[in-house]
Amino acid sequence: MLFLVAALLLLGVVLGAVAHAPLTFSVAAGAVIAVWLGIFALRERHGRRRHTRAH
């Protein structure tokens, strides 16, 4: 429960910061985060596929 409260508090701080940032910065930061998450997902998928073949 404490983790949920901390996560919501952090989300509020981040959304408050984005509201005061210029739109171009917010879009650029969102694009960077989306690319980073996409690369992470691909690496995880590739790693699991290789790991399951070995067993």
Side-chain angles (χ1 to χ4, degrees):
M1 182 68 179
L2 186 59
F3 176 76
L4 181 62
V5 171
L8 288 174
L9 181 64
L10 183 62
L11 179 66
V13 169
V14 170
L15 287 177
V18 169
H20 294 288
L23 182 61
T24 55
F25 174 77
S26 299
V27 170
V32 168
I33 292 170
V35 168
W36 177 58
L37 288 174
I39 292 170
F40 177 76
L42 287 174
R43 289 182 66 199
E44 284 292 314
R45 173 181 272 182
H46 181 68
R48 288 185 187 192
R49 208 180 282 164
R50 185 176 50 203
H51 183 63
T52 55
R53 286 182 188 164
H55 290 326

